[in-house]
Amino acid sequence: RAQCHPVSANTHKRTPALAAVAMDCGDVVEMPTGGKAMPGNSAQVLLHMAGSLGDAETQIRGLRSLQMMLEFRPSQQLALCSAGAPKAVVVAMAAHGQDAALQCHAAVVLASLAQGNKETQAEVLAVGPVEPLVAAMRACLGGGAARAEELHASCAVALAALCEGFPEGAQQICRTGGAEAVIEAMRLQTADGLVHERGAEFLAVLAAACRSPSPASGSVLSGRLAAEAVEAVAAGMSSYAEDADVQIAGCWALRELVLTGGEAILELEPGTWADAIVNAMRRHPAKSAVLERACQATAVAAKLGDNPRSQLFGLGAAELASRALQLACKRDRKGGMCVGCDALASLGLSADEGSEEVAPELLEGGAVEAVLQAMRTQPQSAALQESGLTALASLGRGPAGRGAIRQAGGLEVVQEAHRSGLASAAALLRAFEQEASAEAAPLPAPPPRDETRA
């Protein structure tokens, strides 16, 4: 999912009718059944497209052929870019701006050319694909346009492919209004959650790219825009609460946007987006992918401050995160155990670093037992042990927390982690030792008797 694969729509699937055979290195498409693609090698296809620019059907057949060749990625990405495919796609989009079917095909080809390849990302961006993609989305924002949902989803996928791990692409997209166009599309009422799912994936990719260190990118995703994106994502998660894929994409987007938006996110009412995260866990208690993305979002949101953290507690995030961690243990999902521990560690934080008070919801919701279960499940995983120790340090700040850890047999788990060479276990052990020393210390001697007064 992190790769933002092309959306599942009729134009994006290879059906038997479209299953032309790409020979050898993927540069030749044989004559398909029904003539729905253009036969020939890449040079022939591009030449035919250039010679019949005014014929939309010819352009669509050419785009289908290019997409078939791109199924041999990455070998064909560089070859097609060198042959001029990105420019041909952009020219076709400009020549048929009102043809939604053509725009859908073009968006998928652009996504396939750029996806996961920084070299081709740069080559595709150089021909200016962002403007026609944004124009195609805006042309369908009025509603009622044929294939509008498919078009919006396809364009969101293409924009994500152009900026994934590529700050320069994120910069160009933000400056051209790509983020606003996707957010506006997400605000429309749609038949299913496809636009919201793909839109949230794009926003997650964009936000992550905007945080990448690059002198050229700067802070291209403004706090205002990040806040608007958070609201759109949360609204989509609420509208399609039973759609697990929308919840997965939404939690991913919220995590990335909160990390990028910072202070601007605090100005929003935290109940709206915090509720979206918690409800995703509550409505999909057996979906590991949903729970893990929600735990990641919880871990980041809880670090924003006491207000978001108290909202999460009030909505039941502590108990739900503990259950998610227990399920990850049952299914032996190391990644799920790590993010579950991270969520509980963040929920255990306090604005006052010297505070020894731990929220009772954490101790009563089974958080300590869940963390220890995870650490016992995979004792050889250093990453999981570190996550577990961080969570125990957060949960065991005060006497009540340390008592809960000791009662659950956690002291032995921490000692074993220390014997394994994990330095973070040492500080936790010292806290237990200091507490034990204080309990074992003799009572202070009474003051000397005042003989004169006697």
Side-chain angles (χ1 to χ4, degrees):
R1 299 191 66 81
Q3 295 296 319
C4 277
H5 295 296
V7 298
S8 54
N10 290 335
T11 56
H12 307 144
K13 289 182 178 178
R14 290 191 69 183
T15 63
L18 299 181
V21 179
M23 301 295 186
D24 299 327
C25 66
D27 189 52
V28 178
V29 175
E30 291 184 341
M31 177 64 77
T33 305
K36 292 187 176 181
M38 187 180 295
N41 60 28
S42 57
Q44 291 169 329
V45 169
L46 293 170
L47 184 62
H48 197 178
M49 290 176 68
S52 304
L53 185 58
D55 186 347
E57 284 304 315
T58 297
Q59 300 302 308
I60 289 176
R61 286 197 298 272
L63 291 168
R64 282 176 174 150
S65 296
L66 294 176
Q67 181 60 27
M68 290 175 185
M69 294 173 191
L70 284 163
E71 290 185 8
F72 287 78
R73 292 179 309 186
S75 63
Q76 280 300 304
Q77 286 177 303
L78 286 169
L80 286 174
C81 282
S82 299
K87 185 66 175 179
V89 175
V90 171
V91 169
M93 294 179 76
H96 302 278
Q98 301 304 312
D99 192 320
L102 184 147
Q103 302 293 321
C104 286
H105 283 288
V108 174
V109 173
L110 289 172
S112 297
L113 283 168
Q115 191 174 31
N117 189 326
K118 285 184 171 54
E119 189 173 349
T120 58
Q121 277 178 318
E123 292 195 34
V124 175
L125 278 169
V127 302
V130 178
E131 291 84 352
L133 286 169
V134 172
M137 295 189 74
R138 293 197 183 283
C140 294
L141 287 175
R147 307 181 75 163
E149 293 177 32
E150 181 185 342
L151 176 60
H152 287 148
S154 301
C155 290
V157 169
L159 291 171
L162 289 169
C163 69
E164 185 177 11
F166 196 52
E168 292 77 6
Q171 180 185 42
Q172 190 174 136
I173 288 169
C174 287
R175 289 182 176 176
T176 314
E180 289 90 337
V182 172
I183 291 170
E184 289 174 34
M186 293 173 69
R187 288 172 177 157
L188 299 176
Q189 293 297 320
T190 57
D192 57 35
L194 181 62
V195 174
H196 290 270
E197 179 188 351
R198 300 307 183 194
E201 289 173 342
F202 159 72
L203 291 170
V205 169
L206 178 71
C210 287
R211 290 199 312 278
S212 299
S214 170
S217 64
S219 182
V220 293
L221 186 64
S222 67
R224 175 196 59 79
L225 191 56
E228 289 182 12
V230 165
E231 291 177 324
V233 169
M237 292 175 70
S238 176
S239 298
Y240 303 96
E242 302 304 324
D243 189 325
D245 290 333
V246 171
Q247 304 306 306
I248 292 167
C251 287
W252 177 25
L254 289 176
R255 175 188 183 276
E256 300 297 338
L257 288 165
V258 167
L259 281 172
T260 304
E263 294 297 323
I265 307 300
L266 285 173
E267 297 178 6
L268 297 173
E269 171 53 48
T272 55
W273 52 271
D275 188 63
I277 296 170
V278 175
N279 276 340
M281 291 192 280
R282 182 172 287 114
R283 288 179 177 272
H284 300 274
K287 291 280 188 181
S288 293
V290 175
L291 297 173
E292 288 164 17
R293 284 294 189 189
C295 282
Q296 288 179 315
T298 299
V300 171
K303 289 180 180 178
L304 273 182
D306 283 345
N307 191 20
R309 192 160 45 248
S310 64
Q311 287 279 351
L312 289 165
F313 273 124
L315 294 166
E319 183 179 357
L320 291 168
S322 298
R323 290 180 186 175
L325 180 52
Q326 291 166 356
L327 183 65
C329 294
K330 181 179 179 180
R331 295 177 176 176
D332 199 23
R333 293 176 64 92
K334 184 171 70 174
M337 288 185 263
C338 286
V339 297
C341 289
D342 293 343
L344 293 173
S346 294
L347 287 168
L349 294 175
S350 171
D352 180 5
E353 294 184 1
S355 172
E356 290 202 344
E357 294 183 6
V358 179
E361 294 92 338
L362 280 169
L363 302 180
E364 296 166 5
V368 169
E369 292 79 3
V371 171
L372 292 173
Q373 182 183 356
M375 295 180 71
R376 292 181 180 119
T377 300
Q378 292 206 12
Q380 304 305 318
S381 171
L384 177 55
Q385 296 300 309
E386 289 286 2
S387 293
L389 289 169
T390 301
L392 291 178
S394 179
L395 297 171
R397 270 198 330 273
R402 287 191 290 273
I405 294 172
R406 193 189 296 274
Q407 186 174 357
L411 184 56
E412 292 79 5
V413 175
V414 177
Q415 289 170 335
E416 181 60 33
H418 186 253
R419 283 193 291 270
S420 299
L422 297 178
S424 53
L428 196 53
L429 281 177
R430 281 196 297 272
F432 279 108
E433 290 168 359
Q434 290 170 0
E435 187 176 60
S437 299
E439 291 174 354
L443 292 174
R449 185 179 182 188
D450 188 341
E451 298 293 341
T452 305
R453 184 170 178 176

